Amino acid sequence: MGAGTSPGADAAAAAEPGGGGDSAAGDVSEPVREPVSEPVGEPVREGEGDGDAVPSTSRRFPTVTQDTARPEGGGRAAAGDAPAPARQWPLLTVLGATGLGLLIVGLDSFKESFRWGTILIGVALITGAILRRILPSVGMLAVRSRFTDMVTYGLLGVAIVLLSLMTQPDPWLEIPFLEDVVHSTVP
């Protein structure tokens, strides 16, 4: 303790960062550590020789999930006071066109119904990718991030349209390097 100072003043000076204590006398005081609060569900390991509990940097998921983040753009596509179908119109548009395509394929009512039905299904997925890109909120059409949804819907839609255009007999589109893929799928 310095001359003319009270014990409380020395303790307060020692607690200040970089201050206090008699550094000339070789007294090196440890910085005051705040107690570490343990987050719920995280494992705790012992510190490096000082006995303090330090939260682990575990990459494990918690045993109980408290909340799930809504995908970007996953909000309502219409106002909250609108009826449910109006709030989910982007999803219902894609599902309606896909259902119509499946109905055309299933009924097989005209010569090229398989081709036209599958083209409609592919176009519905491409429409879903476009809606996901241009609308800020698409309701339940948002499943993952905006980029992932656009790529997934778009690639699947284009693949379905291309395969339906290349369907045998009498393909409407002939792509030489993909011809082997189509022939291997049709016995």
Side-chain angles (χ1 to χ4, degrees):
M1 247 191 316
T5 60
S6 67
D10 262 351
E16 291 178 11
D22 281 18
S23 58
D27 238 0
V28 178
S29 61
E30 268 189 56
V32 177
R33 293 185 184 190
E34 294 293 325
V36 177
S37 63
E38 298 177 25
V40 177
E42 278 194 24
V44 175
R45 62 180 169 80
E46 289 298 317
E48 308 282 331
D50 58 0
D52 289 342
V54 179
S56 171
T57 56
S58 173
R59 296 186 64 147
R60 290 188 210 157
F61 289 109
T63 55
V64 177
T65 303
Q66 299 296 326
D67 194 12
T68 302
R70 178 182 290 170
E72 166 190 350
R76 295 181 175 120
D81 59 347
R87 290 192 308 260
Q88 298 298 330
W89 72 265
L91 177 67
L92 293 176
T93 301
V94 172
L95 287 179
T98 303
L100 183 61
L102 288 172
L103 187 65
I104 291 171
V105 170
L107 291 178
D108 197 20
S109 58
F110 53 94
K111 182 180 178 199
E112 296 286 334
S113 62
F114 175 77
R115 191 181 313 268
W116 282 109
T118 52
I119 287 174
L120 186 58
I121 293 169
V123 168
L125 285 170
I126 293 170
T127 302
I130 292 169
L131 288 174
R132 188 70 172 101
R133 173 68 178 119
I134 62 174
L135 294 177
S137 292
V138 290
M140 289 173 43
L141 187 62
V143 179
R144 297 160 294 268
S145 71
R146 179 167 281 136
F147 176 78
T148 304
D149 282 344
M150 288 184 334
V151 169
T152 304
Y153 296 149
L155 286 179
L156 286 175
V158 168
I160 290 172
V161 168
L162 283 177
L163 288 174
S164 66
L165 292 175
M166 295 173 59
T167 301
Q168 298 291 333
D170 303 322
W172 293 357
L173 177 67
E174 293 185 20
I175 301 176
F177 67 91
L178 291 179
E179 196 169 310
D180 294 332
V181 173
V182 174
H183 284 296
S184 67
T185 60
V186 178

